[in-house]
Amino acid sequence: MLLEVKDLQLWYGDRHVLKGVSFSLNRGEVLCLVGESGSGKTSVLYSLLGLLPKGAHLKGSVLFMGRELVGLSEREYRKIRGRHISIVFQEPSVYLDPLFKVGPQVEEAYRAHYKDDKAKEKAIQALRKAGIQEAEKVYESYPHHLSGGLKQRVCIAIATVCNPELVLADEPTTALDVSLQSRILKLFRDMKGEGRSVLLVTHDFGVVAEVADRVMVLKEGTVVEEGSVFDLFDNPKHPYTQELLRLV
């Protein structure tokens, strides 16, 4: 078991956002978290990585590789982020710094955890593994020179340059056309083939069908259904899941 989450409760001020969320994730498994906007999907990811805003109150247990993450200091979280758990955000243009070339931004993620002289080599390698054929050219480019699909692949390179055991992905294909979406989803399948685990947030059941092993359905901060991708499509049990599938 790579990750085990038990009774996760989250408040933003007086607002109860997550209400007893529990799930587990095995090594080499893709779990898709689905639900409408505002259901708490992104809050689950941020809870795992200690990226919650000031004033948030988190209770429950997050065991990652046998270590409890809830209650860790920011210093301890920084040792985990990128190295063992990384995240791919929904909008790469917000995440990438327009003032710096791509190469140093990928290298920075590596240098945060390793002090050797392999940063450039590892950065170019990560860009290639993220499906970028002209890796050296992209390495020397500024983000605004790149298409949306290339920017997202750069963000995947940043997220995977340290070979983390778990990759979190928050609606990573929302802004992409169908062909680019398919390429990005292949990268997540490749991660699974390498033994990495992926927790992918989406509202798109086409994405679920393409990459998921298991699916968890979230409604207003509560898990209403969880099961294999086949069970969910063939025999959805909860009325909310049935309604989501009818809207596909």
Side-chain angles (χ1 to χ4, degrees), residues 2-243:
L2 181 70
L3 178 72
E4 190 168 10
V5 176
K6 292 182 179 178
D7 194 26
L8 207 61
Q9 307 268 354
L10 174 64
W11 290 264
Y12 293 148
D14 294 331
R15 187 159 64 95
H16 200 178
V17 181
L18 299 179
K19 305 166 185 175
V21 171
S22 299
F23 64 93
S24 61
L25 187 59
N26 295 314
R27 291 181 183 271
E29 185 176 42
V30 179
L31 173 63
C32 279
L33 181 52
V34 300
E36 296 172 308
S37 296
S39 59
K41 304 186 301 296
T42 298
S43 291
V44 171
L45 301 190
Y46 287 8
S47 296
L48 301 184
L49 263 185
L51 295 175
L52 296 168
K54 284 186 178 181
H57 179 54
L58 183 67
K59 290 175 63 178
S61 174
V62 176
L63 282 177
F64 175 70
M65 297 174 62
R67 182 185 186 186
E68 180 59 64
L69 301 188
V70 174
L72 282 187
S73 66
E74 176 59 22
R75 181 179 179 184
E76 290 300 312
Y77 264 122
R78 280 201 295 265
K79 295 177 183 177
I80 294 170
R81 291 184 201 125
R83 175 64 187 90
H84 298 289
I85 306 175
S86 62
I87 187 166
V88 180
F89 294 100
Q90 180 175 345
E91 181 42 71
S93 294
V94 175
Y95 182 64
L96 295 173
D97 192 324
L99 300 179
F100 293 92
K101 290 181 178 180
V102 162
Q105 296 191 59
V106 184
E107 285 186 25
E108 183 181 13
Y110 182 81
R111 292 184 198 276
H113 300 282
Y114 296 99
K115 306 306 177 188
D116 55 41
D117 58 359
K118 298 180 180 179
K120 182 173 182 179
E121 172 192 338
K122 294 292 185 180
I124 291 175
Q125 187 179 82
L127 289 168
R128 287 200 185 108
K129 284 185 74 173
I132 298 173
Q133 292 181 340
E134 296 183 316
E136 288 85 355
K137 181 179 178 182
V138 170
Y139 178 95
E140 295 292 344
S141 300
Y142 286 94
H144 64 269
H145 293 150
L146 307 178
S147 67
L150 269 177
K151 287 178 188 175
Q152 192 59 287
R153 276 177 272 184
V154 167
C155 285
I156 291 171
I158 291 171
T160 56
V161 67
C162 292
N163 294 315
E165 290 84 0
L166 174 59
V167 177
L168 312 177
D170 187 10
E171 302 271 13
T173 60
T174 297
L176 305 178
D177 64 35
V178 174
S179 63
L180 286 173
Q181 175 175 293
S182 182
R183 291 179 201 169
I184 297 297
L185 293 178
K186 181 184 181 300
L187 297 178
F188 289 112
R189 290 198 302 275
D190 291 345
M191 289 179 202
K192 173 186 169 181
E194 294 167 356
R196 275 189 271 238
S197 302
V198 180
L199 178 56
L200 192 153
V201 161
T202 184
H203 64 274
D204 186 337
F205 277 94
V207 169
V208 173
E210 198 161 339
V211 299
D213 295 305
R214 288 189 298 117
V215 188
M216 184 168 73
V217 182
L218 203 62
K219 182 179 190 291
E220 297 175 356
T222 301
V223 178
V224 297
E225 188 162 353
E226 183 183 358
S228 76
V229 66
F230 301 107
D231 288 342
L232 185 101
F233 279 100
D234 292 343
N235 186 29
K237 295 179 176 60
H238 196 278
Y240 179 68
T241 308
Q242 294 167 5
E243 179 63 24

